[in-house]
Each structure stands twice: as structure tokens, then as C-alpha cells.
Amino acid sequence: DQQVKQNSPSLSVQEGRISILNCDYTNSMFDYFLWYKKYPAEGPTFLISISSIKDKNEDGRFTVFLNKSAKHLSLHIVPSQPGDSAVYFCAASSAGGTSYGKLTFGQGTILTVHP
Amino acid sequence: KAGVTQTPRYLIKTRGQQVTLSCSPISGHRSVSWYQQTPGQGLQFLFEYFSETQRNKGNFPGRFSGRQFSNSRSEMNVSTLELGDSALYLCASSEGTTGGYTFGSGTRLTVV
């Protein structure tokens, strides 16, 4: 039962253009969503997050959009840079109870930004 | 501020042996979570400790265990290693409330 899904295994974009990475979830108890970037043999690096009370959060070149009714979130990177090439993971959590410390991850999307 | 430190970075063990991995969280962080990353299963939650108590556990067999010390440092132990335990083991720390988690660089365990 995959509660967080990233349906695109890979994405290729040109430098300077927009990268849009998508994520769907099924568990309506999730109320906090995060995006991480990961290089091989390293731990994930936190990029940006959004609480379920919001529908948009911006941080520099990164914007996350949340559509609760569709159980969908997306990460926009504008403009894309070659250094953004990495695996991007969407993750979700819910407050308290049996969910302490638990992030549920998607399978990841490999982003390649071409110069 | 120092990040999350995991030791060792690489480890090779033989089937049937046991292994202990260590994680030092960011100073002031009281929650430590452990994850296993494999190519087939992705990132999967193992367990979480907060103030020396296990608060949550994932769907892993009892061979996987952990503990947390009074200084918030955490150890993870895997007994009777199997080939399928080969993975990148990641530790993450947070202040303990819902929010972001900072990950360490991981320990790459290879079981032969």
C-alpha cells in the first residue's frame, strides 16, 4: 500500500526553464508535506515544506503547491539549474499519535537539468 | 551548528553477524528516527526515539532494534544479518514536534 506516490521516475528539463515535480497521496490523515533532494550515497537534504492549512509555500526558486481535495502536491523550481540535478523525494507526515517521527516517502523522481 | 552525524559511513558484514550503527543528532534535537533505503523498497521508516523512549515503530522484524541515550545519541542494532539487509541506513533528527527532519549522510551496510 503505497500511500505517497511519485508517478514520474524521471524528468529532464533545460537550464533556465521550470521543473515541475508531482506527488500524490492517499492518506487523508497526512497534514504536513516535505520535499527532499538527494544525491547518491548521501542523506536527503530538506528543501521546502507545507502544512495542510496552506495551499502554497515559496522559498527562493522553490515553490510547493498543495491541492488537498485532489490529494496532490507539486514542487516548482524556477529557473532550473544544472546543480538541481538529483533525486527528489516527496514525504508526508501526520501529527502525533502513532505517527511520531515517521515520514512516508514517495519513490523519488530523478531530475536532470541540461545546460 | 553541527549536522546529524552517522558512523561508520561504510560497513561490510557477513551473514549471521550483528551490527550496531550510531547516530548523533543535532544539538538540542530530542527526536531521532531511522530509515532504511534500498533500490526496491525506497525509504522505509524503521523506528523513532524521543527522550530515550521508542514512540513509533515501522514494519520491520524484531532483528532490528534501537535505543537512545540521555544525550539523545541513538544506536541501531541488526542481529542475524541477512543479505537483504544490505542498504543505506539513514538517521534523522528533529526537535520532536511535527515538522522537518534533518538527515545524516547514512551508513552503507553491505552483507556478504
Side-chain angles (χ1 to χ4, degrees):
Chain A
D1 173 26
Q2 207 174 342
Q3 298 184 56
V4 178
K5 295 180 185 179
Q6 293 175 255
N7 292 316
S8 298
S10 63
L11 175 68
S12 182
V13 299
Q14 208 66 34
E15 181 179 6
R17 305 296 289 268
I18 183 171
S19 295
I20 300 176
L21 297 108
N22 294 301
C23 178
D24 298 295
Y25 63 97
T26 57
N27 189 339
S28 57
M29 297 299 291
F30 288 145
D31 57 10
Y32 196 76
F33 304 89
L34 309 91
W35 284 94
Y36 284 87
K37 173 181 176 181
K38 188 178 184 301
Y39 295 112
E42 291 185 14
T45 301
F46 171 74
L47 281 173
I48 192 169
S49 63
I50 187 166
S51 163
S52 60
I53 61 173
K54 294 186 174 183
D55 55 18
K56 178 182 173 181
N57 189 26
E58 282 183 86
D59 185 1
R61 296 186 297 116
F62 302 92
T63 304
V64 57
F65 295 92
L66 175 62
N67 183 333
K68 280 198 304 181
S69 60
K71 292 191 175 67
H72 177 83
L73 63 155
S74 61
L75 174 67
H76 292 209
I77 306 174
V78 184
S80 301
Q81 300 172 352
D84 295 330
S85 298
V87 181
Y88 287 76
F89 288 95
C90 165
S93 70
S94 55
T98 59
S99 301
Y100 285 122
K102 181 178 180 180
L103 292 176
T104 301
F105 283 87
Q107 292 296 94
T109 297
I110 301 170
L111 173 65
T112 304
V113 181
H114 299 282
Chain B
K1 210 177 195 182
V4 178
T5 304
Q6 290 188 248
T7 56
R9 284 299 308 272
Y10 301 94
L11 207 47
I12 300 176
K13 289 287 188 178
T14 304
R15 267 184 304 176
Q17 285 187 313
Q18 75 163 15
V19 66
T20 299
L21 313 180
S22 179
C23 173
S24 292
I26 290 173
S27 178
H29 284 191
R30 293 192 292 166
S31 168
V32 174
S33 300
W34 288 89
Y35 291 81
Q36 180 196 65
Q37 186 185 22
T38 57
Q41 299 297 320
L43 278 150
Q44 292 192 293
F45 172 76
L46 281 155
F47 31 64
E48 187 254 6
Y49 286 87
F50 181 84
S51 294
E52 301 179 65
T53 300
Q54 186 182 88
R55 288 197 301 189
N56 200 0
K57 190 178 190 310
N59 296 323
F60 280 81
R63 299 186 297 108
F64 292 81
S65 63
R67 58 177 176 168
Q68 187 180 32
F69 302 95
S70 58
N71 62 358
S72 292
R73 190 177 72 85
S74 177
E75 287 182 347
M76 185 190 119
N77 184 274
V78 188
S79 62
T80 320
L81 283 165
E82 300 175 359
L83 294 179
D85 297 332
S86 295
L88 180 66
Y89 289 89
L90 294 158
C91 162
S93 78
S94 79
E95 293 175 350
T97 56
T98 54
Y101 296 81
T102 303
F103 282 82
S105 296
T107 294
R108 169 69 65 183
L109 172 65
T110 302
V111 182
V112 298

